[in-house]
DNA sequence: CTGAAAGCGCTTACAG
DNA sequence: CTGAAAGCGCTTACAG
């Protein structure tokens, strides 16, 4: 990489003049400037971000920490964030490591966006966030009131899903997956709010992966009092559950209705195009971009205005009316 | 972030002593060292990578450029690379931007790994790679002999898939997707090598996405001379094709056999667990890790030893014998 | 309009 | 064993 000193030599000026010319400082005489920029271009000059950041304190770099990148939600989000940050003049770099926050701090990026589902955030202690000297926001989760975050109203999402099923006449609604307490609690609240039937076996124990959903429904013991509809707590798990149902010859939605959390293209492409509830990923990316830039500009976060993203229902084909005796699973 | 100068003040020593102590220089008296490391720990000191890299020329950072992150192959690869690079003492950062290589050059990472499918590499000019002052390798593609690359023997993969189908008796084998010339040519070679039947309609025009595969087979006109087996050129497109077949009531593999390129978990989880051919992602990550570290250490690439990764067949349930008259599609 | 100088936080010989 | 000094490539007042 050519440096400003080398350009200065080639142009026969001092290196501070080169610095000014390259920063479009209007004080530089046009002829001088042209000579300098020509040489720079010819040698493919690019400012050394390290040196520049070291003195100016600005790198125009945003670090995004993306845990569990295997989930399609994350890759969709990464693409959206990249585009929006670039539009605002920032470059995005990604880390999938659990050390992403300290790493970006060391790298002195201008801002950090941490995407964490509830699981990955619990595994990080609040100190990690609080010790971050860089403006940092958490996306999709919440640690404590000192750390700015964009939250997803998952409770609202679960309520919307339950409401939708209720509108189709379902009174026995189950939940597949018990690993996310927000969704589990929301489910319980909704059940009691709508005075639906409930039973401990309506909550199917399962963590979060495709396999978890598959195994959960592969061996689920249906009987006359079983749910007529299920909500899956995320996209992968719901797809696994659907596969298990199909293998068992249980028709969705004729015999059982299913709503999956998270709206990603894969859900639309499932065996049965899935009705989903979930945040619009573009909206999350948009909020995150604006929030982090505001935080960088202000240095101190705004007087704690909380940002919430509301999930949205996407109606497709996995929800139907309550099966009659003839069509029910048992 | 606390700096070595501040630590020096707190410890009552010069800052160069602090620098030595923190680098485990054995010349520092144990007592002094302890005092310094205690203070550093207490204040959560971390070396400023920018400053450190600026003078020492080493950052222990590897930049990975991952185009089209939406494909599960890439997220799997990212996770594997992250793990392996960390084991070797490097931190990985990711870029999904088309400007990833210049960006990492500016950032002065120690090495760059570029993952490009044939499509994304064609869109980048060789200059981008050749102007990279940082050790750079291309994964999964090839630009020219000056740029070290780890190549995937896709031709071999397609041959293996064809061989497998031939071993089941298929003589009319089609290819879904014509956007990757390596695979297309390999397919043509294999067809002529095995003296299989051929016809222009055996190659189904389709680009690369799920939708492309779906649409390609949704309206494909089957007749008595149509292929009894298809190879899909990637995982997403093959899944889309499978969906179209199912919707048309065509049973895989009873009526039509299907092999998908790329072995990712999603393929195993498809409606019909897919028989696949493709590189083992762990192996790609392993080769890339070793190659980039060797390149960094040697500064100049090895006397151009080419590295090739061989695809592997994974036998599952989407391939069967040639259907008899009764079971054939038409 | 141009240049000399200080300094960002560190590493690395070199001197003591 | 410890410290003073130079320098990585840049930015930013300041002087001329």
């Amino acid at each position: 990489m050519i440096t400003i000193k080398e350009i200065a030599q080639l142009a026969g000026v001092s290196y501070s003049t080169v610095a000014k010319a390259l920063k479009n400082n209007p004080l530089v005489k046009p002829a001088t400037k042209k000579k300098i920029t020509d040489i720079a271009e010819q040698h493919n000059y690019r400012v050394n971000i390290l040196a520049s950041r070291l003195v100016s304190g600005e790198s125009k770099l945003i670090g995004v920490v993306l845990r569990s990148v295997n989930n399609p939600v994350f890759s969709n989000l990464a693409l959206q964030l990249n585009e929006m940050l670039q539009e605002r003049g920032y470059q995005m770099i990604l880390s999938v490591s659990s050390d992403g926050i300290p790493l970006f701090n060391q790298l002195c990026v201008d801002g950090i966006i941490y995407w964490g589902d509830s699981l990955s955030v619990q595994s990080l202690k609040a100190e990690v966030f609080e010790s971050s000297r860089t403006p940092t926001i958490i996306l999709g989760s919440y640690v404590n009131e000192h750390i700015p975050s964009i939250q997803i109203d998952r409770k609202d999402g679960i309520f919307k899903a339950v409401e939708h099923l209720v509108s189709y006449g379902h009174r026995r609604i189950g939940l597949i997956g018990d690993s996310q307490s927000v969704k589990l609690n929301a489910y319980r609240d909704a059940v009691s709010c709508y005075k639906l039937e409930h039973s401990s076996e309506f909550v199917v124990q399962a963590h979060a992966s495709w396999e978890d959903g598959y195994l959960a429904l592969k061996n689920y013991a249906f009987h006359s009092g079983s749910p007529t509809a299920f909500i899956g707590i995320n996209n992968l798990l719901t797809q696994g559950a659907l596969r298990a149902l199909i293998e068992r010859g249980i028709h969705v939605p004729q015999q059982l209705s299913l709503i999956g959390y998270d709206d990603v293209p894969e859900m639309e492409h499932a065996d049965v195009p899935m009705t989903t509830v979930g945040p619009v990923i573009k909206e999350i990316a948009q909020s995150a971009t604006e929030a982090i830039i505001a935080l960088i500009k202000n240095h101190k976060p705004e007087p704690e205005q909380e940002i919430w993203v509301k999930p949205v229902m996407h109606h497709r084909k996995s929800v139907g009316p309550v099966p009659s005796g003839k069509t029910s699973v048992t």
Side-chain angles (χ1 to χ4, degrees), chain A:
Chain A
M1 285 263 176
I2 193 171
T3 68
I4 51 172
K5 285 191 185 168
E6 295 169 288
I7 295 179
Q9 278 212 321
L10 292 171
V13 295
S14 76
Y15 70 85
S16 48
T17 302
V18 175
K20 278 170 205 137
L22 294 173
K23 301 214 101 190
N24 276 318
N25 186 320
L27 290 179
V28 180
K29 188 163 65 174
T32 317
K33 181 170 162 182
K34 174 142 181 31
K35 191 161 57 176
I36 291 170
T37 50
D38 281 355
I39 295 174
E41 202 159 323
Q42 188 184 326
H43 289 79
N44 205 2
Y45 172 80
R46 294 185 154 254
V47 60
N48 181 325
I49 296 182
L50 272 53
S52 150
R53 162 82 220 202
L54 199 54
V55 21
S56 80
E58 212 189 24
S59 64
K60 287 289 176 186
L61 231 45
I62 303 277
V64 175
V65 185
L66 225 50
R67 301 299 307 285
S68 31
V69 75
N70 255 333
N71 188 324
V73 173
F74 303 140
S75 38
N76 282 296
L77 186 64
L79 256 21
Q80 297 278 356
L81 277 173
N82 185 58
E83 200 176 303
M84 291 178 186
L85 288 168
Q86 282 204 352
E87 274 169 20
R88 303 296 227 94
Y90 287 86
Q91 292 276 5
M92 178 185 93
I93 55 179
L94 242 39
S95 167
V96 299
S97 162
S98 55
D99 295 327
I101 292 182
L103 172 66
F104 285 142
N105 267 289
Q106 275 184 281
L107 261 176
C108 303
V109 299
D110 289 348
I112 299 177
I113 298 174
Y114 182 96
W115 168 272
D117 51 24
S118 36
L119 302 167
S120 88
V121 167
Q122 278 158 23
S123 72
L124 281 186
K125 285 165 270 153
E127 294 109 83
V128 174
F129 294 101
E130 284 171 352
S131 73
S132 174
R133 294 302 202 278
T134 313
T136 301
I137 62 172
I138 300 183
L139 242 190
S141 198
Y142 178 79
V143 172
N144 66 40
E145 70 276 17
H146 302 113
I147 303 158
S149 59
I150 294 176
Q151 296 178 68
I152 295 165
D153 195 346
R154 300 191 170 95
K155 175 171 178 173
D156 178 64
I158 297 293
F159 262 79
K160 279 176 177 153
V162 169
E163 269 163 34
H164 183 60
L165 292 169
V166 166
S167 78
Y168 270 77
H170 295 276
R171 305 293 301 169
R172 293 197 305 274
I173 298 173
L175 185 75
I176 312 171
D178 59 348
S179 62
Q180 298 187 27
S181 55
V182 177
K183 291 176 186 167
L184 182 55
N185 291 335
Y187 161 79
R188 288 187 173 137
D189 288 354
V191 164
S192 88
C193 175
Y194 284 97
K195 303 194 174 25
L196 302 177
E197 288 185 39
H198 61 279
S199 152
S200 64
E201 52 172 354
F202 285 14
V203 175
V204 189
Q205 286 176 29
H207 198 71
S209 72
W210 192 97
E211 282 82 357
D212 296 334
Y214 177 81
L215 292 173
L217 280 220
K218 191 64 186 171
N219 302 307
Y220 190 80
F222 283 99
H223 54 76
S224 60
S226 293
T228 57
F230 277 105
I231 298 167
I233 59 163
N234 77 22
N235 65 106
L236 295 169
L237 170 146
T238 306
Q239 288 177 72
L242 178 62
R243 174 58 25 75
L245 292 170
I246 289 172
E247 288 183 8
R248 293 178 67 174
I250 297 171
H251 294 287
V252 174
Q254 295 82 354
Q255 296 178 272
L256 192 70
S257 290
L258 194 54
I259 294 183
Y261 197 98
D262 291 331
D263 192 60
V264 290
E266 286 78 357
M267 295 296 266
E268 189 168 352
H269 297 152
D271 282 324
V272 178
M274 290 296 307
T275 293
T276 62
V277 67
V280 177
I281 291 176
K282 198 162 188 165
E283 196 183 327
I284 303 182
Q286 189 75 56
S287 304
T289 301
E290 271 153 31
I292 195 68
I293 290 175
L295 203 55
I296 293 168
K297 296 270 155 73
N298 299 337
H299 268 246
K300 295 184 210 312
E302 299 279 288
E304 243 19 277
Q305 22 125 277
E306 294 206 346
I307 303 174
W308 285 88
V309 175
K310 291 275 181 196
V312 172
M313 287 288 312
H314 298 264
H315 303 279
R316 300 200 185 89
K317 306 207 164 159
S318 63
V319 170
V322 178
S324 64
K326 258 204 307 214
T327 56
S328 79
V329 175
T330 46

